[in-house]
PDB file of all heavy atoms in Angstrom:
ATOM      1  N   TYR A  51       4.174  20.810  -1.670  1.00 95.00           N
ATOM      2  CA  TYR A  51       5.432  21.395  -2.031  1.00 95.00           C
ATOM      3  C   TYR A  51       5.387  21.611  -3.635  1.00 95.00           C
ATOM      4  O   TYR A  51       4.842  20.794  -4.259  1.00 95.00           O
ATOM      5  CB  TYR A  51       6.532  20.593  -1.606  1.00 95.00           C
ATOM      6  CG  TYR A  51       6.893  20.558  -0.218  1.00 95.00           C
ATOM      7  CD1 TYR A  51       6.219  19.782   0.786  1.00 95.00           C
ATOM      8  CD2 TYR A  51       8.010  21.414   0.260  1.00 95.00           C
ATOM      9  CE1 TYR A  51       6.641  19.861   2.125  1.00 95.00           C
ATOM     10  CE2 TYR A  51       8.321  21.454   1.636  1.00 95.00           C
ATOM     11  CZ  TYR A  51       7.633  20.725   2.646  1.00 95.00           C
ATOM     12  OH  TYR A  51       7.982  20.777   3.820  1.00 95.00           O
ATOM     13  N   GLN A  53       8.220  21.736  -6.776  1.00 94.00           N
ATOM     14  CA  GLN A  53       9.630  21.627  -7.054  1.00 94.00           C
ATOM     15  C   GLN A  53       9.767  22.198  -8.535  1.00 94.00           C
ATOM     16  O   GLN A  53       9.162  21.695  -9.483  1.00 94.00           O
ATOM     17  CB  GLN A  53      10.075  20.133  -7.025  1.00 94.00           C
ATOM     18  CG  GLN A  53      11.391  19.856  -7.218  1.00 94.00           C
ATOM     19  CD  GLN A  53      11.888  18.525  -6.951  1.00 94.00           C
ATOM     20  OE1 GLN A  53      11.280  17.565  -7.408  1.00 94.00           O
ATOM     21  NE2 GLN A  53      12.952  18.300  -6.164  1.00 94.00           N
ATOM     22  N   PHE A  58      14.505  22.619  -6.849  1.00 88.00           N
ATOM     23  CA  PHE A  58      14.339  23.271  -5.564  1.00 88.00           C
ATOM     24  C   PHE A  58      12.902  23.001  -4.992  1.00 88.00           C
ATOM     25  O   PHE A  58      11.898  23.416  -5.693  1.00 88.00           O
ATOM     26  CB  PHE A  58      14.696  24.711  -5.720  1.00 88.00           C
ATOM     27  CG  PHE A  58      14.604  25.474  -4.415  1.00 88.00           C
ATOM     28  CD1 PHE A  58      15.405  25.093  -3.266  1.00 88.00           C
ATOM     29  CD2 PHE A  58      13.675  26.452  -4.090  1.00 88.00           C
ATOM     30  CE1 PHE A  58      15.338  25.741  -2.011  1.00 88.00           C
ATOM     31  CE2 PHE A  58      13.706  27.126  -2.899  1.00 88.00           C
ATOM     32  CZ  PHE A  58      14.516  26.712  -1.901  1.00 88.00           C
ATOM     33  N   LEU A  59      12.800  22.526  -3.790  1.00 91.00           N
ATOM     34  CA  LEU A  59      11.624  22.203  -3.186  1.00 91.00           C
ATOM     35  C   LEU A  59      11.143  23.270  -2.354  1.00 91.00           C
ATOM     36  O   LEU A  59      11.928  23.624  -1.312  1.00 91.00           O
ATOM     37  CB  LEU A  59      11.651  20.913  -2.405  1.00 91.00           C
ATOM     38  CG  LEU A  59      11.215  19.542  -2.922  1.00 91.00           C
ATOM     39  CD1 LEU A  59      11.631  18.383  -2.025  1.00 91.00           C
ATOM     40  CD2 LEU A  59       9.671  19.448  -3.150  1.00 91.00           C
ATOM     41  N   ILE A  72       0.296  26.788   7.531  1.00 80.00           N
ATOM     42  CA  ILE A  72       1.337  27.508   6.773  1.00 80.00           C
ATOM     43  C   ILE A  72       0.698  27.850   5.370  1.00 80.00           C
ATOM     44  O   ILE A  72       0.132  27.049   4.734  1.00 80.00           O
ATOM     45  CB  ILE A  72       2.442  26.558   6.534  1.00 80.00           C
ATOM     46  CG1 ILE A  72       3.249  26.349   7.824  1.00 80.00           C
ATOM     47  CG2 ILE A  72       3.481  27.228   5.549  1.00 80.00           C
ATOM     48  CD1 ILE A  72       4.454  25.471   7.721  1.00 80.00           C
ATOM     49  N   GLU A  74       2.395  29.915   2.450  1.00 82.00           N
ATOM     50  CA  GLU A  74       3.452  30.866   1.878  1.00 82.00           C
ATOM     51  C   GLU A  74       2.948  31.722   0.862  1.00 82.00           C
ATOM     52  O   GLU A  74       1.777  31.708   0.444  1.00 82.00           O
ATOM     53  CB  GLU A  74       4.587  29.874   1.247  1.00 82.00           C
ATOM     54  CG  GLU A  74       5.285  28.969   2.424  1.00 82.00           C
ATOM     55  CD  GLU A  74       6.083  29.917   3.267  1.00 82.00           C
ATOM     56  OE1 GLU A  74       7.159  30.353   2.786  1.00 82.00           O
ATOM     57  OE2 GLU A  74       5.702  30.075   4.431  1.00 82.00           O
ATOM     58  N   PHE A 106       4.369  18.085  -4.974  1.00 97.00           N
ATOM     59  CA  PHE A 106       4.399  16.929  -4.108  1.00 97.00           C
ATOM     60  C   PHE A 106       3.620  17.220  -2.856  1.00 97.00           C
ATOM     61  O   PHE A 106       3.576  18.371  -2.334  1.00 97.00           O
ATOM     62  CB  PHE A 106       5.913  16.851  -3.583  1.00 97.00           C
ATOM     63  CG  PHE A 106       6.857  16.215  -4.614  1.00 97.00           C
ATOM     64  CD1 PHE A 106       7.698  16.928  -5.248  1.00 97.00           C
ATOM     65  CD2 PHE A 106       6.856  14.910  -4.850  1.00 97.00           C
ATOM     66  CE1 PHE A 106       8.511  16.583  -6.148  1.00 97.00           C
ATOM     67  CE2 PHE A 106       7.692  14.194  -5.877  1.00 97.00           C
ATOM     68  CZ  PHE A 106       8.621  15.098  -6.492  1.00 97.00           C
ATOM     69  N   ARG A 113       3.717  18.520  13.638  1.00 64.00           N
ATOM     70  CA  ARG A 113       4.447  19.482  12.832  1.00 64.00           C
ATOM     71  C   ARG A 113       6.008  19.143  12.960  1.00 64.00           C
ATOM     72  O   ARG A 113       6.796  19.557  12.077  1.00 64.00           O
ATOM     73  CB  ARG A 113       4.042  20.879  13.152  1.00 64.00           C
ATOM     74  CG  ARG A 113       2.633  21.179  12.742  1.00 64.00           C
ATOM     75  CD  ARG A 113       2.167  22.376  13.469  1.00 64.00           C
ATOM     76  NE  ARG A 113       2.599  23.627  13.021  1.00 64.00           N
ATOM     77  CZ  ARG A 113       2.279  24.800  13.568  1.00 64.00           C
ATOM     78  NH1 ARG A 113       1.284  24.752  14.479  1.00 64.00           N
ATOM     79  NH2 ARG A 113       2.821  25.854  13.001  1.00 64.00           N
ATOM     80  N   GLN A 114       6.416  18.536  14.022  1.00 66.00           N
ATOM     81  CA  GLN A 114       7.800  18.221  14.242  1.00 66.00           C
ATOM     82  C   GLN A 114       8.212  16.883  13.490  1.00 66.00           C
ATOM     83  O   GLN A 114       9.498  16.679  13.341  1.00 66.00           O
ATOM     84  CB  GLN A 114       8.134  18.134  15.776  1.00 66.00           C
ATOM     85  CG  GLN A 114       7.766  19.201  16.513  1.00 66.00           C
ATOM     86  CD  GLN A 114       6.399  18.983  17.225  1.00 66.00           C
ATOM     87  OE1 GLN A 114       5.492  18.539  16.591  1.00 66.00           O
ATOM     88  NE2 GLN A 114       6.366  19.481  18.532  1.00 66.00           N
ATOM     89  N   GLN A 116       8.767  13.581  10.975  1.00 84.00           N
ATOM     90  CA  GLN A 116       9.518  13.387   9.695  1.00 84.00           C
ATOM     91  C   GLN A 116       8.454  13.430   8.658  1.00 84.00           C
ATOM     92  O   GLN A 116       7.377  12.803   8.676  1.00 84.00           O
ATOM     93  CB  GLN A 116      10.180  11.965   9.764  1.00 84.00           C
ATOM     94  CG  GLN A 116      10.985  11.798  10.913  1.00 84.00           C
ATOM     95  CD  GLN A 116      11.345  10.355  11.158  1.00 84.00           C
ATOM     96  OE1 GLN A 116      11.467   9.590  10.136  1.00 84.00           O
ATOM     97  NE2 GLN A 116      11.577  10.009  12.310  1.00 84.00           N
ATOM     98  N   ALA A 117       8.682  14.162   7.566  1.00 89.00           N
ATOM     99  CA  ALA A 117       7.762  14.256   6.424  1.00 89.00           C
ATOM    100  C   ALA A 117       7.947  13.111   5.329  1.00 89.00           C
ATOM    101  O   ALA A 117       9.167  12.773   5.008  1.00 89.00           O
ATOM    102  CB  ALA A 117       7.925  15.555   5.802  1.00 89.00           C
ATOM    103  N   PHE A 119       6.800  11.858   1.539  1.00 95.00           N
ATOM    104  CA  PHE A 119       6.349  12.427   0.340  1.00 95.00           C
ATOM    105  C   PHE A 119       5.720  11.437  -0.548  1.00 95.00           C
ATOM    106  O   PHE A 119       6.062  10.258  -0.577  1.00 95.00           O
ATOM    107  CB  PHE A 119       7.586  12.998  -0.493  1.00 95.00           C
ATOM    108  CG  PHE A 119       8.002  14.310   0.113  1.00 95.00           C
ATOM    109  CD1 PHE A 119       8.792  14.376   1.311  1.00 95.00           C
ATOM    110  CD2 PHE A 119       7.737  15.602  -0.444  1.00 95.00           C
ATOM    111  CE1 PHE A 119       9.200  15.537   1.811  1.00 95.00           C
ATOM    112  CE2 PHE A 119       8.068  16.710   0.088  1.00 95.00           C
ATOM    113  CZ  PHE A 119       8.954  16.811   1.209  1.00 95.00           C
ATOM    114  N   GLY A 120       4.750  11.967  -1.322  1.00 96.00           N
ATOM    115  CA  GLY A 120       4.142  11.213  -2.456  1.00 96.00           C
ATOM    116  C   GLY A 120       5.048  11.224  -3.658  1.00 96.00           C
ATOM    117  O   GLY A 120       6.118  11.694  -3.649  1.00 96.00           O
ATOM    118  N   GLN A 121       4.602  10.580  -4.776  1.00 95.00           N
ATOM    119  CA  GLN A 121       5.439  10.359  -5.895  1.00 95.00           C
ATOM    120  C   GLN A 121       5.428  11.728  -6.861  1.00 95.00           C
ATOM    121  O   GLN A 121       6.214  11.723  -7.898  1.00 95.00           O
ATOM    122  CB  GLN A 121       4.887   9.220  -6.730  1.00 95.00           C
ATOM    123  CG  GLN A 121       5.197   7.916  -6.029  1.00 95.00           C
ATOM    124  CD  GLN A 121       6.629   7.668  -5.697  1.00 95.00           C
ATOM    125  OE1 GLN A 121       7.474   7.399  -6.706  1.00 95.00           O
ATOM    126  NE2 GLN A 121       7.106   7.920  -4.495  1.00 95.00           N
ATOM    127  N   ARG A 124       3.376  15.797 -11.958  1.00 97.00           N
ATOM    128  CA  ARG A 124       4.067  16.613 -13.050  1.00 97.00           C
ATOM    129  C   ARG A 124       3.112  17.333 -13.907  1.00 97.00           C
ATOM    130  O   ARG A 124       2.385  16.873 -14.692  1.00 97.00           O
ATOM    131  CB  ARG A 124       4.977  15.714 -13.870  1.00 97.00           C
ATOM    132  CG  ARG A 124       5.920  16.490 -14.892  1.00 97.00           C
ATOM    133  CD  ARG A 124       6.829  15.556 -15.599  1.00 97.00           C
ATOM    134  NE  ARG A 124       7.764  15.031 -14.616  1.00 97.00           N
ATOM    135  CZ  ARG A 124       8.955  15.633 -14.239  1.00 97.00           C
ATOM    136  NH1 ARG A 124       9.324  16.704 -14.683  1.00 97.00           N
ATOM    137  NH2 ARG A 124       9.829  15.015 -13.260  1.00 97.00           N
TER     138      ARG A 124
ATOM    139  N   TYR B  79      17.165  13.650   2.433  1.00 96.00           N
ATOM    140  CA  TYR B  79      16.205  12.874   1.498  1.00 96.00           C
ATOM    141  C   TYR B  79      17.090  12.516   0.275  1.00 96.00           C
ATOM    142  O   TYR B  79      17.991  13.273  -0.233  1.00 96.00           O
ATOM    143  CB  TYR B  79      15.126  13.780   1.098  1.00 96.00           C
ATOM    144  CG  TYR B  79      14.060  14.025   2.176  1.00 96.00           C
ATOM    145  CD1 TYR B  79      14.223  15.045   3.153  1.00 96.00           C
ATOM    146  CD2 TYR B  79      12.957  13.237   2.247  1.00 96.00           C
ATOM    147  CE1 TYR B  79      13.199  15.247   4.117  1.00 96.00           C
ATOM    148  CE2 TYR B  79      11.973  13.374   3.223  1.00 96.00           C
ATOM    149  CZ  TYR B  79      12.173  14.428   4.110  1.00 96.00           C
ATOM    150  OH  TYR B  79      11.210  14.573   5.064  1.00 96.00           O
ATOM    151  N   GLN B  81      16.357  11.464  -3.752  1.00 96.00           N
ATOM    152  CA  GLN B  81      15.336  11.602  -4.752  1.00 96.00           C
ATOM    153  C   GLN B  81      15.861  11.022  -6.114  1.00 96.00           C
ATOM    154  O   GLN B  81      16.824  11.525  -6.608  1.00 96.00           O
ATOM    155  CB  GLN B  81      14.858  13.016  -4.880  1.00 96.00           C
ATOM    156  CG  GLN B  81      13.628  13.129  -5.966  1.00 96.00           C
ATOM    157  CD  GLN B  81      13.188  14.601  -5.970  1.00 96.00           C
ATOM    158  OE1 GLN B  81      13.809  15.542  -5.664  1.00 96.00           O
ATOM    159  NE2 GLN B  81      11.846  14.650  -6.442  1.00 96.00           N
ATOM    160  N   ARG B  84      12.307  11.433 -11.340  1.00 90.00           N
ATOM    161  CA  ARG B  84      10.936  11.223 -11.519  1.00 90.00           C
ATOM    162  C   ARG B  84      10.202  10.540 -10.392  1.00 90.00           C
ATOM    163  O   ARG B  84       9.171   9.903 -10.425  1.00 90.00           O
ATOM    164  CB  ARG B  84      10.573  10.545 -12.802  1.00 90.00           C
ATOM    165  CG  ARG B  84      10.944  11.579 -14.032  1.00 90.00           C
ATOM    166  CD  ARG B  84      10.570  11.034 -15.437  1.00 90.00           C
ATOM    167  NE  ARG B  84      10.924  11.982 -16.386  1.00 90.00           N
ATOM    168  CZ  ARG B  84      10.046  12.807 -16.890  1.00 90.00           C
ATOM    169  NH1 ARG B  84       8.783  12.866 -16.526  1.00 90.00           N
ATOM    170  NH2 ARG B  84      10.317  13.627 -17.799  1.00 90.00           N
ATOM    171  N   LYS B  85      10.791  10.666  -9.199  1.00 92.00           N
ATOM    172  CA  LYS B  85      10.196  10.009  -8.118  1.00 92.00           C
ATOM    173  C   LYS B  85      10.118  11.074  -6.929  1.00 92.00           C
ATOM    174  O   LYS B  85      10.657  12.113  -7.035  1.00 92.00           O
ATOM    175  CB  LYS B  85      11.084   8.918  -7.455  1.00 92.00           C
ATOM    176  CG  LYS B  85      11.307   7.720  -8.524  1.00 92.00           C
ATOM    177  CD  LYS B  85       9.953   6.909  -8.527  1.00 92.00           C
ATOM    178  CE  LYS B  85      10.105   5.724  -9.488  1.00 92.00           C
ATOM    179  NZ  LYS B  85       8.826   4.951  -9.726  1.00 92.00           N
ATOM    180  N   GLY B  86       9.381  10.806  -5.862  1.00 94.00           N
ATOM    181  CA  GLY B  86       9.305  11.674  -4.664  1.00 94.00           C
ATOM    182  C   GLY B  86      10.570  11.526  -3.821  1.00 94.00           C
ATOM    183  O   GLY B  86      11.176  10.500  -3.727  1.00 94.00           O
ATOM    184  N   PRO B  87      10.857  12.582  -2.955  1.00 95.00           N
ATOM    185  CA  PRO B  87      11.923  12.497  -2.090  1.00 95.00           C
ATOM    186  C   PRO B  87      11.711  11.359  -1.004  1.00 95.00           C
ATOM    187  O   PRO B  87      10.539  11.204  -0.549  1.00 95.00           O
ATOM    188  CB  PRO B  87      11.917  13.887  -1.286  1.00 95.00           C
ATOM    189  CG  PRO B  87      11.167  14.748  -2.337  1.00 95.00           C
ATOM    190  CD  PRO B  87      10.156  13.897  -2.945  1.00 95.00           C
ATOM    191  N   LEU B  89      12.874   9.831   2.677  1.00 93.00           N
ATOM    192  CA  LEU B  89      13.589  10.112   3.784  1.00 93.00           C
ATOM    193  C   LEU B  89      14.639   9.095   4.143  1.00 93.00           C
ATOM    194  O   LEU B  89      14.421   7.958   4.301  1.00 93.00           O
ATOM    195  CB  LEU B  89      12.716  10.389   5.101  1.00 93.00           C
ATOM    196  CG  LEU B  89      13.328  10.627   6.321  1.00 93.00           C
ATOM    197  CD1 LEU B  89      13.934  12.099   6.189  1.00 93.00           C
ATOM    198  CD2 LEU B  89      12.302  10.487   7.581  1.00 93.00           C
ATOM    199  N   TYR B  92      17.246  11.226   9.846  1.00 91.00           N
ATOM    200  CA  TYR B  92      16.584  12.218  10.641  1.00 91.00           C
ATOM    201  C   TYR B  92      17.342  12.307  11.997  1.00 91.00           C
ATOM    202  O   TYR B  92      17.453  11.365  12.661  1.00 91.00           O
ATOM    203  CB  TYR B  92      15.127  11.654  10.830  1.00 91.00           C
ATOM    204  CG  TYR B  92      14.207  12.608  11.585  1.00 91.00           C
ATOM    205  CD1 TYR B  92      13.663  13.676  11.141  1.00 91.00           C
ATOM    206  CD2 TYR B  92      14.054  12.458  13.089  1.00 91.00           C
ATOM    207  CE1 TYR B  92      12.782  14.454  11.825  1.00 91.00           C
ATOM    208  CE2 TYR B  92      13.388  13.320  13.740  1.00 91.00           C
ATOM    209  CZ  TYR B  92      12.678  14.309  13.198  1.00 91.00           C
ATOM    210  OH  TYR B  92      11.764  15.153  13.931  1.00 91.00           O
ATOM    211  N   LYS B 135      14.430  22.024  10.072  1.00 88.00           N
ATOM    212  CA  LYS B 135      13.214  22.788  10.570  1.00 88.00           C
ATOM    213  C   LYS B 135      13.402  23.103  12.111  1.00 88.00           C
ATOM    214  O   LYS B 135      14.283  22.531  12.680  1.00 88.00           O
ATOM    215  CB  LYS B 135      11.956  22.192  10.422  1.00 88.00           C
ATOM    216  CG  LYS B 135      11.845  20.883  11.233  1.00 88.00           C
ATOM    217  CD  LYS B 135      10.589  19.990  10.734  1.00 88.00           C
ATOM    218  CE  LYS B 135       9.277  20.711  10.950  1.00 88.00           C
ATOM    219  NZ  LYS B 135       8.170  19.780  10.653  1.00 88.00           N
ATOM    220  N   GLY B 137      11.245  23.340  15.422  1.00 73.00           N
ATOM    221  CA  GLY B 137       9.979  23.108  16.152  1.00 73.00           C
ATOM    222  C   GLY B 137       8.843  22.993  15.147  1.00 73.00           C
ATOM    223  O   GLY B 137       8.798  22.130  14.333  1.00 73.00           O
ATOM    224  N   ASN B 138       7.770  23.806  15.200  1.00 67.00           N
ATOM    225  CA  ASN B 138       6.595  23.604  14.467  1.00 67.00           C
ATOM    226  C   ASN B 138       6.709  24.421  13.065  1.00 67.00           C
ATOM    227  O   ASN B 138       5.759  24.452  12.371  1.00 67.00           O
ATOM    228  CB  ASN B 138       5.456  24.074  15.201  1.00 67.00           C
ATOM    229  CG  ASN B 138       5.088  23.300  16.287  1.00 67.00           C
ATOM    230  OD1 ASN B 138       5.463  22.065  16.370  1.00 67.00           O
ATOM    231  ND2 ASN B 138       4.482  23.796  17.374  1.00 67.00           N
ATOM    232  N   LYS B 140       8.112  25.441   9.258  1.00 80.00           N
ATOM    233  CA  LYS B 140       8.207  24.664   7.967  1.00 80.00           C
ATOM    234  C   LYS B 140       9.522  24.039   7.708  1.00 80.00           C
ATOM    235  O   LYS B 140      10.567  24.543   8.202  1.00 80.00           O
ATOM    236  CB  LYS B 140       7.808  25.685   6.810  1.00 80.00           C
ATOM    237  CG  LYS B 140       8.890  26.805   6.658  1.00 80.00           C
ATOM    238  CD  LYS B 140       8.644  27.797   5.571  1.00 80.00           C
ATOM    239  CE  LYS B 140       9.725  28.813   5.511  1.00 80.00           C
ATOM    240  NZ  LYS B 140       9.439  29.846   4.578  1.00 80.00           N
ATOM    241  N   LEU B 141       9.513  22.964   6.929  1.00 86.00           N
ATOM    242  CA  LEU B 141      10.712  22.320   6.610  1.00 86.00           C
ATOM    243  C   LEU B 141      11.382  23.130   5.424  1.00 86.00           C
ATOM    244  O   LEU B 141      10.732  23.464   4.448  1.00 86.00           O
ATOM    245  CB  LEU B 141      10.347  20.920   6.026  1.00 86.00           C
ATOM    246  CG  LEU B 141      11.466  19.902   5.915  1.00 86.00           C
ATOM    247  CD1 LEU B 141      12.069  19.621   7.235  1.00 86.00           C
ATOM    248  CD2 LEU B 141      10.805  18.607   5.373  1.00 86.00           C
ATOM    249  N   PHE B 143      14.365  23.312   2.564  1.00 93.00           N
ATOM    250  CA  PHE B 143      15.212  22.365   1.819  1.00 93.00           C
ATOM    251  C   PHE B 143      16.475  23.137   1.325  1.00 93.00           C
ATOM    252  O   PHE B 143      16.376  24.324   0.981  1.00 93.00           O
ATOM    253  CB  PHE B 143      14.454  21.718   0.638  1.00 93.00           C
ATOM    254  CG  PHE B 143      13.614  20.613   1.163  1.00 93.00           C
ATOM    255  CD1 PHE B 143      12.344  20.804   1.490  1.00 93.00           C
ATOM    256  CD2 PHE B 143      14.032  19.317   0.999  1.00 93.00           C
ATOM    257  CE1 PHE B 143      11.528  19.706   1.888  1.00 93.00           C
ATOM    258  CE2 PHE B 143      13.312  18.235   1.326  1.00 93.00           C
ATOM    259  CZ  PHE B 143      11.953  18.537   1.881  1.00 93.00           C
ATOM    260  N   THR B 145      19.082  23.019  -2.104  1.00 92.00           N
ATOM    261  CA  THR B 145      18.917  22.886  -3.513  1.00 92.00           C
ATOM    262  C   THR B 145      19.005  21.525  -4.035  1.00 92.00           C
ATOM    263  O   THR B 145      18.612  21.207  -5.185  1.00 92.00           O
ATOM    264  CB  THR B 145      19.671  23.892  -4.453  1.00 92.00           C
ATOM    265  OG1 THR B 145      20.988  23.819  -3.916  1.00 92.00           O
ATOM    266  CG2 THR B 145      19.174  25.302  -4.181  1.00 92.00           C
TER     267      THR B 145
END
Side-chain angles (χ1 to χ4, degrees):
Chain A
Y51 283 83
Q53 188 171 47
F58 184 61
L59 263 171
I72 292 176
E74 290 293 290
F106 285 101
R113 292 158 73 178
Q114 305 95 322
Q116 306 163 36
F119 284 77
Q121 292 299 290
R124 186 171 294 271
Chain B
Y79 285 84
Q81 186 175 20
R84 296 187 174 260
K85 298 288 186 184
L89 183 65
Y92 178 87
K135 68 192 298 187
N138 289 337
K140 63 185 180 182
L141 196 59
F143 282 85
T145 49

